[in-house]
Amino acid sequence: MLKENIDTQALFERTTLGPYELKNHIVMPPLTRSRSSQPGNIPNKLMAEYYAQRAGAGFMVTEGTQVEPRGQGYAWTPGIHSPEQVEGWKLVTDAVHKNGGIIFAQLWHVGRVSHTSLQPDNGKPVAPSAMAADAVKVFVETAPGEGDLANPSEPRALQTSEVKDLVNMYAAAAQNALNAGFDGVELHCANGYLINQFISEHTNQRTDEYGGSLENRLRFLKEVVAAVSQVVGASRVGVRFAPLFESTTEQRVYLGLVEPDPLKTYTAAIRLLEEAGLAYLSIAEADWENAPDLPVAFYQTARQLFSGKIIYAGKYTVEKALRILHEGYGDLFAFGRPFIANPDLPERIKNNWPMNQVDPTTMYGGSEAGYSDYPTYHQDKSA
């Protein structure tokens, strides 16, 4: 991961995020692993062990956790809407805090990227407009502990009153996150999921106050940000976007939607976050093979408009992180797959130790294999 003789010290200087002091600039980003206990999508001791192992990160964000039962698009992902789920998450936050980590919960609703088998009473998924998702698969349970990929089901359009109810569901989930001991929350507004579906011209054909103009398409985001900030405090809220400027024909994990004018859309969205006084903006860049960097104009605009911290992710190397940090465009840098395979990732970066490689067959669902059993460097050395 690291070329010889690169000075990584800048990544290990202390910094701040909202009210928190961080021990380094390295982030463990949201990573769906589908290890929650069934029935009920409840976080468990295995998940607590996994997160605690990675608490050497300066900052951690949980895997996406659905804010209500209809928000689920993949089997065995955890929720944050039931008392049992809150109790399960307490195991995670306690373990992380004992290891000196800071962790936010990522609040997630997949919207149309779901399947009737994952929905209450096998109902249709909900979305801004009744448009089925394509170029994406969902993961459904086919037998206890077994699953397979499936095409998303056709959604139904939310009524205006239901959209307002959803704002309240996000606020309730934020309160649950506080009750579970989280240090703050991140709103998942990327990857073609519900909030992104409202923002996008491709998926929002509404004619009420939540559709049409860019201002209207950003209204749901604005209302959710305001409601969650009222519960948690704006200085403990972040938002994740995936502003794609190019698409790919590769078969790959879903990344989201390319807007007709991405710079205009996300400039307006970032202004909204700045006005709300949020702690951070997290940007997921394109992560397919040989994907281009974001345009320099985007990096510059985001930095000019947003006074909080900016996190970048998307197949980042240490070298790219250092470059973006030195250019002043970003503050914190997330490493996804490397963190899956290397629980001691910050120490490996700091000391230029070799990296474990991720096992793609154990990414989603299963046991501790390929989850909490990746060795640290010192475990490797003593083996």
Side-chain angles (χ1 to χ4, degrees):
M1 188 177 179
L2 196 56
K3 293 173 183 158
E4 290 294 326
N5 303 319
I6 286 186
D7 183 359
T8 61
Q9 183 55 40
L11 292 176
F12 292 91
E13 292 169 0
R14 299 185 85 83
T15 186
T16 58
L17 182 76
Y20 301 110
E21 184 173 336
L22 310 185
K23 56 198 169 195
N24 59 53
H25 294 249
I26 296 168
V27 177
M28 179 181 169
L31 297 160
T32 294
R33 305 303 309 277
S34 296
R35 283 336 196 262
S36 68
S37 295
Q38 303 305 313
N41 298 316
I42 299 166
N44 51 45
K45 288 181 181 177
L46 179 63
M47 290 170 60
E49 179 185 4
Y50 164 81
Y51 281 104
Q53 289 171 343
R54 290 156 180 78
F59 181 59
M60 309 172 77
V61 185
T62 69
E63 61 212 277
T65 180
Q66 49 264 12
V67 300
E68 61 130 336
R70 297 176 304 176
Q72 184 175 11
Y74 307 88
W76 317 317
T77 54
I80 196 160
H81 52 81
S82 76
E84 295 79 11
Q85 290 163 352
V86 171
E87 289 304 306
W89 280 120
K90 285 179 183 176
L91 300 174
V92 173
T93 59
D94 286 350
V96 167
H97 291 151
K98 280 176 185 167
N99 282 23
I102 293 165
I103 186 166
F104 279 28
Q106 191 191 57
L107 305 185
W108 187 30
H109 196 303
V110 299
R112 70 179 190 156
V113 186
S114 187
H115 190 272
T116 53
S117 67
L118 294 163
Q119 292 292 309
D121 302 319
N122 298 112
K124 285 187 172 186
V126 296
S129 302
M131 303 167 66
D134 55 12
V136 58
K137 297 286 187 181
V138 293
F139 185 73
V140 300
E141 185 171 279
T142 54
E146 294 180 22
D148 202 0
L149 294 172
N151 291 321
S153 302
E154 186 173 325
R156 68 171 182 84
L158 289 154
Q159 301 294 321
T160 304
S161 62
E162 292 182 296
V163 179
K164 296 182 187 302
D165 290 340
L166 272 162
V167 174
N168 294 330
M169 289 178 194
Y170 274 94
Q175 184 60 59
N176 285 343
L178 291 185
N179 296 346
F182 283 105
D183 300 302
V185 299
E186 175 177 292
L187 298 175
H188 194 347
C189 306
N191 305 120
Y193 297 122
L194 184 66
I195 296 177
N196 194 180
Q197 290 161 32
F198 273 92
I199 294 170
S200 177
E201 288 185 40
H202 301 298
T203 47
N204 184 340
Q205 295 184 344
R206 301 179 70 88
T207 55
D208 65 358
E209 67 203 83
Y210 294 101
S213 68
L214 179 55
E215 181 183 9
N216 281 1
R217 285 184 281 113
L218 289 170
R219 191 181 305 278
F220 183 57
L221 168 66
K222 185 175 184 178
E223 290 181 357
V224 171
V225 164
V228 167
S229 296
Q230 196 165 6
V231 172
V232 180
S235 68
R236 297 198 289 168
V237 177
V239 159
R240 186 171 232 216
F241 290 137
L244 293 184
F245 285 74
E246 294 187 30
S247 61
T248 178
T249 55
E250 281 185 24
Q251 285 291 106
R252 52 179 311 286
V253 175
Y254 196 43
L255 224 161
L257 301 148
V258 184
E259 297 309 303
D261 188 344
L263 189 59
K264 179 184 176 184
T265 299
Y266 284 97
T267 294
I270 293 168
R271 284 187 196 278
L272 187 155
L273 306 189
E274 174 65 14
E275 288 165 9
L278 297 196
Y280 72 87
L281 165 65
S282 177
I283 300 293
E285 295 193 37
D287 67 354
W288 56 85
E289 283 301 321
N290 302 313
D293 286 354
L294 285 166
V296 171
F298 179 87
Y299 291 123
Q300 291 174 336
T301 300
R303 181 83 281 174
Q304 286 167 357
L305 293 179
F306 192 70
S307 59
K309 290 293 192 287
I310 301 180
I311 301 173
Y312 279 103
K315 276 202 174 170
Y316 261 64
T317 61
V318 173
E319 290 85 356
K320 183 176 178 182
L322 287 164
R323 174 171 62 81
I324 297 294
L325 180 64
H326 291 317
E327 288 172 352
Y329 296 147
D331 307 292
L332 302 165
F333 302 92
F335 301 92
R337 286 169 178 250
F339 240 131
I340 289 175
N342 299 277
D344 55 344
L345 181 67
E347 285 297 303
R348 290 184 188 247
I349 291 172
K350 191 174 192 176
N351 294 290
N352 200 13
W353 292 335
M355 299 281 176
N356 301 323
Q357 296 305 303
V358 73
D359 175 5
T361 66
T362 55
M363 297 276 269
Y364 306 110
S367 64
E368 69 278 356
Y371 187 62
S372 59
D373 67 344
Y374 281 107
T376 65
Y377 178 72
H378 289 299
Q379 287 169 330
D380 267 344
K381 293 292 282 183
S382 62

